[in-house]
Amino acid sequence: MGSSHQPQAETDAAFLEPFLRESGPTRRLRFDAFMRLALYDPVVGYYRRDHQRVGRTADADFYTSTSSGPIFGELIAAAARHLLGTADPHAYTFVEIGAEPAGGVLRDVAHPFAEARTVPIGETPRLAGNCVVFSNELFDAQPFRRFRRAKAIWEESYVTADKKGLLREDYQPTELPFDAPDTTPAGYCIDWSEAASALARDLTAEPWHGVFIAVDYGKSWAELTTATPAGTARAYLRHTQSNDLLASPGRQDLTAHVCWDDLQKAVAATGFSVDSVRSQEAFLVKNAGDYLAQVLAQEGGRFSARKQSIMQLLHPVNLGQKFQVLTAHRHAAEISP
């Protein structure tokens, strides 16, 4: 068995108890099982804690497009309306999956839909009828598995608790659940989330029709297997990015880039037609360009807060290229009986 050579992480008793219960006598969990516990355990999970995760305050852990204020919701509403084409938006329910508690991208935003509702991250939605289904950084929050090339074999990451309650990451030989290039060099890491693809498939398999919009950060399969030798996994705590994935379990966010190829296949398998994967900048300009022009005209030549928020959302060095947007659609007649 190999080792990641990462420092051991001290674990508080509140997290160690469910970890030992889940791992049993081996005191070891595969990395995705550890991550599921650290993020979604009902008691100690990061996404179950009553804590401000998103925002620009010092106590938050990261900021995203929703941190730009109502303008992001306004642009998403305009883009969704554009994607519906000639369909009447008043006949559709806007459903945001993975919304922050008491949040929602359309909160305090005038919109053209019959209803706007939110589903907290980790909860299973019930989708039916006419819908616009939206998510922002939902799929990168799903548990992922970690693989590392070791000479002629591949190894998979496990998290082990020693007798002192310290966590360490170890690797053991495994068979890959996907095809990786034969030329992959030793030491190359791949972070891969089958849970993200399963979630996309589950959401689009529900008996609804309309538009699917997923905003996230990710890469193509070719990029993940050739251009990210250290993998894409990282942790966030109070606006600090870290590679120490075992530190403060349950108190820091864990994430990795989604594989857009996998998500597109999952969505297409349920009868959706995938429109595109575009940068957030390209998505908003193409689908909410008229609304953008209207807002900029209203703001005139002044450098207002709304203009600054638009710049943050669109500019390549801010969020415009950091995030990508997958869009897909399915008409009522395309749902299998």
Side-chain angles (χ1 to χ4, degrees):
M1 181 182 296
S3 173
S4 68
H5 303 295
Q6 289 187 357
Q8 292 180 321
E10 187 172 356
T11 311
D12 62 47
F15 182 82
L16 189 61
E17 180 181 349
F19 181 94
L20 294 177
R21 185 173 60 246
E22 289 286 328
S23 60
T26 66
R27 303 174 70 94
R28 186 179 67 185
L29 291 175
R30 201 171 71 180
F31 188 85
D32 59 333
F34 160 77
M35 184 174 172
R36 188 173 291 108
L37 189 69
L39 295 186
Y40 294 105
D41 180 81
V43 178
V44 299
Y46 176 78
Y47 286 110
R48 301 301 186 220
R49 293 173 54 226
D50 184 14
H51 170 66
Q52 182 187 357
R53 293 177 289 271
V54 181
R56 297 182 180 275
T57 65
D59 291 334
D61 295 322
F62 57 91
Y63 68 89
T64 183
S65 296
T66 56
S67 308
S68 298
I71 186 63
F72 183 59
E74 296 170 27
L75 292 171
I76 291 297
R81 183 168 189 169
H82 179 266
L83 289 167
L84 285 173
T86 58
D88 181 6
H90 293 89
Y92 285 76
T93 298
F94 185 97
V95 185
E96 181 177 356
I97 312 294
E100 286 294 303
V105 71
L106 296 190
R107 182 184 180 185
D108 300 325
V109 170
H111 62 79
F113 308 108
E115 179 189 4
R117 62 185 180 94
T118 60
V119 179
I121 192 167
E123 293 192 11
T124 303
R126 292 290 177 260
L127 303 171
N130 296 337
C131 292
V132 172
V133 176
F134 170 80
S135 69
N136 183 64
E137 289 201 74
L138 170 68
F139 295 101
D140 66 69
Q142 304 310 306
F144 53 84
R145 298 169 68 180
R146 307 194 73 207
F147 300 93
R148 182 180 68 182
R149 180 78 168 181
K151 295 184 179 179
I153 65 171
W154 281 91
E155 300 173 326
E156 182 164 9
S157 167
Y158 286 77
V159 178
T160 301
D162 68 13
K163 295 299 183 180
K164 296 180 180 180
L166 299 177
L167 299 181
R168 69 175 186 272
E169 186 179 18
D170 295 308
Y171 284 80
Q172 69 176 37
T174 190
E175 294 291 329
L176 291 179
F178 49 76
D179 293 326
D182 294 335
T183 56
T184 304
Y188 197 98
C189 297
I190 297 176
D191 299 306
W192 179 72
S193 178
E194 55 193 356
S197 299
L199 177 58
R201 186 166 53 250
D202 290 346
L203 290 176
T204 53
E206 293 281 309
W208 66 277
H209 42 273
V211 173
F212 181 65
I213 305 172
V215 181
D216 232 305
Y217 51 84
K219 295 182 181 296
S220 69
W221 182 240
E223 290 175 312
L224 291 174
T225 56
T226 63
T228 57
T232 63
R234 54 200 181 276
Y236 286 95
L237 178 63
R238 295 188 177 176
H239 298 288
T240 300
Q241 179 180 317
S242 168
N243 293 324
D244 190 351
L245 307 180
L246 306 188
S248 305
R251 296 186 176 276
Q252 66 175 0
D253 191 22
L254 299 174
T255 181
H257 280 66
V258 303
C259 176
W260 287 120
D261 299 76
D262 283 355
L263 261 63
Q264 290 181 82
K265 290 176 184 176
V267 169
T270 61
F272 270 75
S273 297
V274 176
D275 301 319
S276 66
V277 175
R278 303 175 184 271
S279 68
Q280 179 170 284
E281 173 192 15
F283 167 78
L284 292 176
V285 170
K286 177 177 174 58
N287 296 292
D290 290 345
Y291 190 81
L292 273 170
Q294 176 185 330
V295 171
L296 293 175
Q298 290 172 348
E299 297 301 306
R302 64 185 181 211
F303 189 69
S304 64
R306 281 167 68 80
K307 269 190 176 180
Q308 184 176 12
S309 293
I310 289 173
M311 181 180 295
Q312 291 170 341
L313 292 169
L314 298 183
H315 200 284
V317 300
N318 291 319
L319 303 178
Q321 293 294 326
K322 177 180 179 180
F323 292 106
Q324 299 83 49
V325 187
L326 167 66
T327 58
H329 69 276
R330 180 172 62 192
H331 300 301
E334 295 169 340
I335 299 179
S336 301

